[in-house]
Amino acid sequence: LNKRKIFNDPVYGFVYIPYEIIFDIIEHPYFQRLRRIQQLGLTNYVYPGALHTRFHHALGAMHLTTEAIEVLRSKGAEITEEESKAVCIAILLHDIGHGPFSHTLENSLLPVSHENLSLHIMQKLNETFAGKLDLAIQIFKNRYEKHFLHQLISSQLDMDRMDYLNRDSYFTGVHEGVISYDRIIKMLAVDRGKLVVEAKGIYSIEKFIIARRLMYWQVYLHKTVISAEEMLLKILQRAKYLGLKGENLFASTPLRLFLENKITEADFYNNEEYFNAFMVLDDYDLFDAIKSWMNADDKLLSFLCRRLINRNLFKVSMESKPFPEDKMNDFRKKAMEFFGFNEAESKSVVFTGSTFNNAYSKDLEPIDILYKNGKTMDIAEASDQLNISVLSQPVVKYYLCLPKEILH
Amino acid sequence: LNKRKIFNDPVYGFVYIPYEIIFDIIEHPYFQRLRRIQQLGLTNYVYPGALHTRFHHALGAMHLTTEAIEVLRSKGAEITEEESKAVCIAILLHDIGHGPFSHTLENSLLPVSHENLSLHIMQKLNETFAGKLDLAIQIFKNRYEKHFLHQLISSQLDMDRMDYLNRDSYFTGVHEGVISYDRIIKMLAVDRGKLVVEAKGIYSIEKFIIARRLMYWQVYLHKTVISAEEMLLKILQRAKYLGLKGENLFASTPLRLFLENKITEADFYNNEEYFNAFMVLDDYDLFDAIKSWMNADDKLLSFLCRRLINRNLFKVSMESKPFPEDKMNDFRKKAMEFFGFNEAESKSVVFTGSTFNNAYSKDLEPIDILYKNGKTMDIAEASDQLNISVLSQPVVKYYLCLPKEILH
Amino acid sequence: LNKRKIFNDPVYGFVYIPYEIIFDIIEHPYFQRLRRIQQLGLTNYVYPGALHTRFHHALGAMHLTTEAIEVLRSKGAEITEEESKAVCIAILLHDIGHGPFSHTLENSLLPVSHENLSLHIMQKLNETFAGKLDLAIQIFKNRYEKHFLHQLISSQLDMDRMDYLNRDSYFTGVHEGVISYDRIIKMLAVDRGKLVVEAKGIYSIEKFIIARRLMYWQVYLHKTVISAEEMLLKILQRAKYLGLKGENLFASTPLRLFLENKITEADFYNNEEYFNAFMVLDDYDLFDAIKSWMNADDKLLSFLCRRLINRNLFKVSMESKPFPEDKMNDFRKKAMEFFGFNEAESKSVVFTGSTFNNAYSKDLEPIDILYKNGKTMDIAEASDQLNISVLSQPVVKYYLCLPKEILH
Amino acid sequence: LNKRKIFNDPVYGFVYIPYEIIFDIIEHPYFQRLRRIQQLGLTNYVYPGALHTRFHHALGAMHLTTEAIEVLRSKGAEITEEESKAVCIAILLHDIGHGPFSHTLENSLLPVSHENLSLHIMQKLNETFAGKLDLAIQIFKNRYEKHFLHQLISSQLDMDRMDYLNRDSYFTGVHEGVISYDRIIKMLAVDRGKLVVEAKGIYSIEKFIIARRLMYWQVYLHKTVISAEEMLLKILQRAKYLGLKGENLFASTPLRLFLENKITEADFYNNEEYFNAFMVLDDYDLFDAIKSWMNADDKLLSFLCRRLINRNLFKVSMESKPFPEDKMNDFRKKAMEFFGFNEAESKSVVFTGSTFNNAYSKDLEPIDILYKNGKTMDIAEASDQLNISVLSQPVVKYYLCLPKEILH
C-alpha cells in the first residue's frame, strides 16, 4: 500500500488501516457480512438512530487498540510490530462469530456460543491466510506470554467496551454513555506484564464504570428493547417448531436450513454445510422472513410477526422479585380467551424473564490503578469516595411481557 | 395524551410529538415501514455510519418545522393551530412515497415517481383518518393561500433539506455538511406571504448552500456510491428481465409481484394489489433476494450480486465530458473475453451515466433576504462576495463503470 | 423591542433576552462589571480555557430558567408573566454580589458574604428600577408562596448549578462534568408546590450528581488551583497588612481603599464610598496590582507575586488527615533558612488548609423524584443501585503548600 | 521528563509537550505573559466566550504542527528530530511579539510590528537557551532549505490559521468557522520541497477558505468589534497625548513609560528599559488604567473610557464606498454641540476607517493541490466549481463610528 486506507467514522473522525493484512481480512466476505448485522439488534425500536453495525464497531475497536499500543510503547512497553499486528487482528475479529440477533439465535435456531464461533472462524481464516493469524489466535485465547495484549481485547477495560460505549452513545444519542476514552487510553500503562491505569486517570475510570451502568439501564436493558427481543425469540422458536414439523415457511436457503433441522453444537462443527450457511446469514434473512410470516397460516406466528413488524410491542413490567406463578396463569387465561390461543400458545404471549447487570465485577480480573510509588490497587478499593464496591453488586430485575389488550 | 411523546434523536436531542394525530400517523404501518428504508441507500458502503432511515429523517424534519413555526409566530406571523398541525403532517409525510432505493426502483421495477406516491398515500391515510389530512394535503400541493407554509415543506430552504444536511452529516461523519440550522431558523420570517431570511442570517445561508454543494460531491455523488447504486440498478433490471421471462427467482411475495409483471404508472394506481405490495416492500426484501441471487443460475445476475454483496464494486472514472462510444466498445469487448459475457450482457458490466448538481437553482423560487429597510433580495444577488451566482451554475459529470479486472 | 435581543453562547447556541427589563439590567454598569470577573478565578492556571466570566454564567443560568419555566407551564404549572419575569431577574442577579476571586477577598480585604451583597445590590437596583424588582427579591429571599420558583434559582437542582457544570465543562474541556441538562429540564415538574423530577429522569439526576462530584475533584478542588488561590490569599493578606501600616503600594483607587482601611461588614453597609468602590473592583485591579508588586520593597510580597505571576506555584500534598504541627515547623524552618524569611513570614510560604465536598447533601432540601403513582421520594433513597447515600457523605481533604525548593 | 507533560485543551482534548525545551520555553516569563493577553482583544463584547489567550493559541498551533509532522513523515518526507523540534519552537513563538491589543498598540503607544518583535524575542530567548533556538529562527525567517517547514508555520495553510479558526469558533460559538482540520492535516504532503494537499482534500480546503472568510465578516470584522477597538485606539492616543504633555494619569510603571515617552522603532531596540517594560505589559495594565481614566480630568478621555467600560459603544455604519467629508463634518458639528467637545476632540468621537479582507490571496504563495498523476495546481484553479478566484478578490468596507446620541 503506498497510501494507507481510511475508513470514515463519525465517532473518531478517521480510522486508519494499519497493516495490509488487516485490509485483506476486512475485504473477506466473512468480515463484509458484519455490515449486515446491527450491533444493537432491535434497540432501534427505542433509539431510532441505533442502526450501526458490528462491522463499524470492529473497526472502531481496532482503531482504539492502535492508539493504546502507541501510548504503551511511548511509556516503554515493548511491543513488536508482529505483536501489534496480531492484537489488531484479534480485536478486529473478536466478534466475527456473532450472527444476527445472536443471543436470540443461540436460544432458538443455533445453540453455539458466539465466542466459540469467533475462534472457529479465526481458525478458518488462518487457513486462508496461510498461518498469518497464528499469533492473533494465541493472544485471543490468552495463551500468549504478554498478558496485557490479551487484556486490550478482553478485560474489564478492553477496547471492545471502550468502543461500544462510545459508539452506542453516539448512535442512540444517550449522552450518559459518553466516556473520556482518549483520556483513559492516555493513562494506560503496563506494570509487571499487566495492563494498569495511572492514578491520574482514576476519575475517568469511575466515570467509565458509571457510564457503562447507565447505558445498561437506559439502553441495553431498556424494557421496550427487552420486549422486542423477547418477541423475536418467541417468533424464531415458533418458526423452528413449525419448520421441524415440516411446515413450508418462506425463508432464504440458509435460514431454511436452520429452521428445518435440529442442530447441536457438535453437528454444527462437523457439518460444513451448516457453517457455510451461517456465514451468509444476517439481519436481512431474518427480517425478510418475519415480514412474510405476518401472513403465515399459523395463528401464533402471524400474530407475533405482525406485532413486531408494526411495532405493536408487548407491555413490560419490571420488578425486583420474580412474578408469582398464579398471576402468570391469570394473564394466560385472559390471553386464551381474548385471542383464542390454546394453553401452550399462551406461554408465547404471556411470559417472564430476568436481566442481570453489574457495572464492575469483582469476580473478573480487576482494573488496577498504578500509583506514583509503584504500587497498584483494584479500582474497587482505590475509589474510596464513589464506592465502586457498591456498583459491583450485581443487580437482577424480573420482567413480565404481555399484550396490552389483556392488561385490564 | 397527558404527557407528550418523545423520540430520541442524536441530532437534536429530543423530538417531541406536538399533536395526537401525528402520533397516530407515526404508529400506522405505512409510516413504520419507513423504519426499514435507509435514507441514503448504499452510501454506507463508503460511510459505514450512514444507516439512518427515512423514518428518522421524517421525524427530524417535523421537529425543525415546529421550531420554525414557533419563530415565525414570535415575529407576528399568523399561524393557527390547525395550520400548524397541517404543516407538521405534511412534512412528516412528504417522503412517505419512497420505496427502498427509490430512484433505482423507479428505473427498474416500478415507474412511479415518489412525489406522486407520497400524495397518493396521504390521500389513502386521509380516508383512514376521516378527512383530518385535508389541510395538510392542500399545503403539500401548494393550493393553500398561505404560501409560506408550503415553502416550509418544499423550497430551496425547506425543513426537508435542513434536516437531511444535518442528519447525513451526523451519520456519515462528513463535517462539511454541518449547517447552523438553529441560526437559520431563528432568522426566518414571513414577508408579504413568503418565507424570507433576515439579513443578519446571510452568512448562515451562504454556508448552507455551500454545505449542500460539498455534501453532493463528497457524499451523494461520491463515485463509489454511484458505482454501488448503478450495480444495484443493473441487478434489478436483470432480475426483472428474468422474472418477466418466467424464471423462478427467490423473492418475497411483494417483490415477486414487481419482478414478474410489467407495470405502468396507470396499472399501479388501478390495482390495489400493487399498492398493497408496495406498502410492505423495503430494503429487507431487496437485500435478502440479492443475497440469494449470488447463487442464481443466470451468470450475469449472480456475477453482479456477488460483487455487490461482497463489496467488490466496479471502478468508476469521472470526467466533465461524455465518454466516447469506441472506448466503451473496447472495454465491452474486454469484458466479453475476460468474463465470457455476450454483447448484450457486457452492457451491464461496462456502462456510463451522468450526474448533475447545482447548489442553488435560479429556476426555482429564490431564497429571499429581508433587509431592515423592508426590501427583499434574492440571495444570489445579495451575496456579493461569495458569488452564489457561480454556485447556481449546474455542474454535470460523466462517469464510466467497469470491473477492475479489465482496466489494464 | 421589536426584535428580541440575542447573546451568543457557545454552550447553548443562543441566549434570548426574554423581557425588556432584563436587557436594561444587563446594560447597567453593575452587571457589565461581571464581564471583568472570571467565574473560576485562577483555575486557568490548570485549564487554560477556563476564562469565562460571571457575566456569561448569569446569562446562561437565566437561559436555562426560561426553558424550565416553559416546561413547567406545559405540564400545567401556573406561572404568570410577572412571576416568570421575576424568576429571570432573580437568577440573573443571584451572583451579582461576587467580587473578583470572591472567596479569597472575603478572607482578606472585605469580610462580606457574596450572598448578602447580591441581595444588597438587588435592592439598590430596585431603587433605580422603581420597584420593578420587588417580586424578584421576594423569590430570591424565599418569601414567595410558590416555593418552586425559589428552587429554580437556589436548590440542589437549581439552574445555577446546571449552568455552571455545563459551562465549566465546556471551557475547561473536562468532559466528566457534561450533564444532560436538556433532559433534566424536560423532566422537571411541580408537585404540591415543590420542584420535582419525573421518575424517567432518575438516571440523568444520578449522572448530574456524579458529574458535580467529579468536577469538584478534577477542577474546583484541583490541587494546583488550590495552590494558586492560597498564594493569592497570602498576597492580599500581606498587602492589606502593609496597607494598614501605611506603606504606599501601587493600586487603583478602589483597591487602595480596601487595602488601607479596616472594614467590617457593618462599615461596608454604612459607607456608600465602600459600596461604590466595590462596584468597580474587578480582576483587573487585582492582577495589575499584583504584577506591580513583583517589584515591591516588601520581600515576602514580591516573593509571592513573582511566583504567582510566573506560575511558579507552591507544591501541594493532599491527605485525608491533618498535617502534624511538627512537620509544619520543620518545613517552616527550612523556608526561613533557604529564603531568609522570619518566622511570621514563613507561615505565608508553608501552610495547610482543608477542602470539603459532598456531591449531594442530606441536610439540604432533597431532590425529589416523582413516580407515576403520584408519590415522591428523595433521590438518595430512590437510587437503589448507585447509592447516592454514599455520595452524600462529606469528604474532607487536607492540603499542605510550600515552595518546591525546600521539599528535599 | 520521565512522563510527557500535558495541557488541557477543550479544542483538541489534550496537548502534549513533545520536547523538554518546549516545556522550558513555556515556563519562561516571556511565554507565561501570553496567558494575560487575549487572542481576540475586545471581541468578547460581541461574543462573550471569546476570552481565550495567545498562550492557548500558541500551544494549539504547536499541537497541530506535531500532528502535521507525523503525517508528513508517514508519507516519506524526511524530517529529523532536530528539525521537528525547531518547527515546534518556531510555531510556539510565532506570536510571542504580540502585546495587548497589538494592532491598536502599534498605532498609539509603540510603533513596532509584532512580527519583528517576535523575532527579536526569539533571539533574546536564544541567548538564554544557549543557541538552542538557532534552527527555529532560521526556519522562522525562511532561511532554511526545507521550505515546507517554514510553510507549516507561515503560509496560507499554516498551523497558525488552522488553530485560530478552530479555537475562535470554539470560544465564540460561531460554527461557521469550524473546519475539518484533522482531514486537512491528513491530506498534507511534501512535493518537491513544498507543502501540498492531496487532491482528495480539495473540498476540505475549499471549506477552510470559506470558513476563514465567514469568520472575517462574522467575527474579526464584526462592526461592534470594530467600534470597540477603534474606541480603544482613540483612548490610547488621547492618553499618550496627555502623557506626553506631562499630565499625571493612573498607570502601572511599564504602561507609564510608553505613555510619557515618544518612542520610535529604533529607540525601542536600543533601549533595554523599553524592551523590559514591554515584556511585562499585558491586558491588565491597559484595562486597569482605562477603568481609572473613567474619572480622569480630561473630558474626552473620561468620556471615551466610560463608554468603553460600560459597553456604551459607538454606532457603526458600513458601506462599500468611503464616507463623504461633508457628512463627517455635519456629524462632528453635532458632536461639538451635543457633548461640548472642540473641533479637534470631535474627531475622536466621529471618525471613519476601512477594513480589508480576502479569503485567499493570489499574491501570496498558493495552496497547491497534488494530483495522483503527480502534477500540482493552485487551488484557485483546481476548484472549478466554487470559484476560489472569486474569493480571492479583496473586499474593502468603509465604516463610520459615532455616538448614537447624535444620530438623529
Side-chain angles (χ1 to χ4, degrees), chain C residues 272-288:
Chain C
E272 197 75 352
E273 193 189 356
Y274 292 146
F275 178 77
N276 291 336
F278 182 79
M279 293 316 289
V280 293
L281 197 72
D282 58 42
D283 293 2
Y284 289 94
D285 301 79
L286 268 73
F287 246 67
D288 197 20

Side-chain angles (χ1 to χ4, degrees), chain D residues 31 34 94 98 122 157 177 229 378 400:
Chain D
F31 194 83
L34 296 181
H94 78 286
H98 275 293
M122 285 173 76
L157 197 66
E229 289 183 346
D378 182 346
L400 163 64

Side-chain angles (χ1 to χ4, degrees), chain D residues 44-276:
Chain D
N44 68 77
Y45 268 2
V46 180
Y47 298 101
L51 298 159
H52 52 300
T53 62
R54 296 198 178 276
F55 177 87
H56 220 173
H57 163 55
L59 287 176
M62 183 202 66
H63 172 70
L64 296 184
T65 302
T66 61
E67 294 208 335
I69 288 170
E70 198 189 327
V71 168
L72 296 180
R73 278 175 169 168
S74 84
K75 293 181 185 169
E78 231 181 274
I79 304 171
T80 67
E81 272 303 273
E82 276 318 294
E83 288 164 349
S84 163
K85 196 185 290 183
V87 184
C88 288
I89 294 171
I91 190 88
L92 190 74
L93 297 176
H94 78 286
D95 270 354
I96 189 90
H98 275 293
F101 312 101
S102 46
H103 306 293
T104 308
L105 219 64
E106 288 174 30
N107 293 310
S108 54
L109 305 190
L110 182 64
V112 183
S113 87
H114 75 264
E115 290 89 353
N116 291 348
L117 260 169
S118 287
L119 183 57
H120 189 67
I121 298 169
M122 285 173 76
Q123 284 159 344
K124 290 272 184 184
L125 284 170
N126 199 21
E127 291 167 24
T128 308
F129 286 96
K132 285 187 184 157
L133 278 65
D134 280 343
L135 185 53
I137 290 170
Q138 262 186 282
I139 291 170
F140 184 77
K141 291 162 73 176
N142 199 12
R143 298 277 168 78
Y144 189 62
E145 63 213 30
K146 295 188 182 174
H147 177 53
F148 69 90
L149 296 177
H150 177 76
Q151 287 178 300
L152 283 175
I153 63 168
S154 176
S155 68
Q156 296 207 69
L157 197 66
D158 60 25
M159 298 305 118
D160 176 22
R161 295 182 182 205
M162 210 76 84
D163 181 75
Y164 77 62
L165 286 177
N166 280 334
R167 190 167 303 279
D168 298 345
S169 291
Y170 189 89
F171 285 98
T172 57
V174 177
H175 300 305
E176 269 73 13
V178 174
I179 57 168
S180 303
Y181 71 93
D182 51 345
R183 195 170 171 91
I184 294 177
I185 288 178
K186 298 276 160 59
M187 295 300 149
L188 292 178
V190 172
D191 180 70
R192 280 158 283 179
K194 288 170 66 181
L195 199 63
V196 296
V197 181
E198 295 174 14
K200 265 183 161 187
I202 194 165
Y203 298 122
S204 303
I205 297 295
E206 287 187 0
K207 200 191 164 199
F208 164 76
I209 292 172
I210 291 162
R212 194 159 165 267
R213 176 183 163 277
L214 292 174
M215 284 298 278
Y216 265 89
W217 297 121
Q218 279 195 274
V219 179
Y220 308 136
L221 302 179
H222 189 287
K223 61 188 197 175
T224 307
V225 173
I226 289 175
S227 174
E229 289 183 346
E230 286 289 333
M231 288 175 77
L232 178 65
L233 177 62
K234 300 303 178 205
I235 287 169
L236 294 182
Q237 286 171 339
R238 185 71 178 180
K240 177 119 194 183
Y241 164 82
L242 296 169
L244 289 174
K245 274 202 347 192
E247 299 245 354
N248 184 24
L249 295 175
F250 174 88
S252 67
T253 307
L255 177 56
R256 180 174 304 278
L257 196 72
F258 292 110
L259 286 176
E260 298 184 349
N261 294 283
K262 199 152 205 154
I263 306 173
T264 65
E265 184 151 8
D267 295 338
F268 182 83
Y269 288 117
N270 291 327
N271 187 335
E272 196 75 352
E273 194 190 357
Y274 291 145
F275 177 77
N276 290 337

Side-chain angles (χ1 to χ4, degrees), chain B residues 3-4 6 8 12-14 16 70-71 74-75 182-183 186-187 198 200 372, chain C residues 3-4 6 8 12-14 16 70-71 74-75 182-183 186-187 198 200 372:
Chain B
K3 233 179 267 154
R4 294 184 296 165
I6 291 177
N8 289 283
Y12 307 122
F14 288 107
Y16 282 89
E70 198 189 327
V71 168
S74 84
K75 294 181 185 169
D182 51 345
R183 194 170 172 91
K186 297 276 159 58
M187 296 299 150
E198 295 174 13
K200 265 184 162 184
K372 282 196 175 169
Chain C
K3 229 178 268 156
R4 293 185 297 163
I6 291 178
N8 288 283
Y12 307 123
F14 289 107
Y16 283 88
E70 198 189 326
V71 168
S74 84
K75 293 182 185 169
D182 52 345
R183 193 169 172 91
K186 298 277 160 58
M187 295 300 150
E198 294 174 13
K200 265 183 161 188
K372 282 197 174 169

Side-chain angles (χ1 to χ4, degrees), chain A residues 4 28 30 47 103 112 120 127 150 160 175 180 182 194 234 251 256 270 304 364 392 402-403 406:
Chain A
R4 293 185 297 164
H28 194 283
Y30 288 178
Y47 298 101
H103 305 293
V112 183
H120 189 67
E127 291 168 24
H150 178 75
D160 176 22
H175 300 306
S180 302
D182 51 346
K194 287 170 67 182
K234 300 301 178 204
R256 181 175 303 277
N270 291 327
L304 290 168
L364 301 176
S392 63
L402 44 71
I406 61 166

